[in-house]
Amino acid sequence: QVQLVESGGGLVQAGGSLRLSCAASQSIFAINTMNWYRQAAGKQREWVAAITNGGSTDYADSVKGRFTISRDNAKNTVYLQMNSLKPDDTAVYYCKADISRASYYYHYWGQGTQVTVSS
């Protein structure tokens, strides 16, 4: 079982920046895809960004150009650099690992970290 721990959330003003971290209990090279999701109060969880073990990245339209997902394999950690933050970015941010094995696709979630952007 993969364990994921998010950190780096906090309170920032609109236009500010924040970097989230997701530390994994095993090598992220063995994980097919690492993802960031977020869930705002009263809304459903939405996908934010993804990075494959090959380094390919993808982003939701709402954060494209402002957020950057990256990884540090030596530290088993994935990051989400968030710039030009908006109040609508306020949410609990979750890390998710996708692993394919024996014809099954497994998903592992972190506990989440709160990001609050004030206007």
Side-chain angles (χ1 to χ4, degrees), residues 21-87:
S21 299
C22 173
S25 61
Q26 66 182 61
S27 174
I28 60 175
F29 181 78
I31 300 173
N32 295 81
T33 305
M34 295 289 288
N35 306 265
W36 285 100
Y37 285 76
R38 68 185 183 185
Q39 186 167 22
K43 298 184 178 180
Q44 66 185 72
R45 189 170 299 183
E46 65 173 334
W47 172 81
V48 174
I51 185 168
T52 69
N53 56 11
S56 298
T57 61
D58 200 7
Y59 302 90
D61 289 340
S62 59
V63 306
K64 194 171 298 181
R66 299 188 298 119
F67 290 11
T68 302
I69 187 171
S70 62
R71 68 183 186 188
D72 186 335
N73 291 338
K75 297 181 179 179
N76 292 340
T77 300
V78 173
Y79 303 96
L80 185 67
Q81 178 66 47
M82 305 183 293
N83 299 324
S84 301
L85 284 163
K86 307 174 181 179

Side-chain angles (χ1 to χ4, degrees), residues 32-33 96-101 103-107:
N32 295 81
T33 305
K96 180 173 77 96
D98 299 332
I99 302 176
S100 178
R101 179 179 293 179
S103 300
Y104 291 94
Y105 220 88
Y106 299 89
H107 308 281

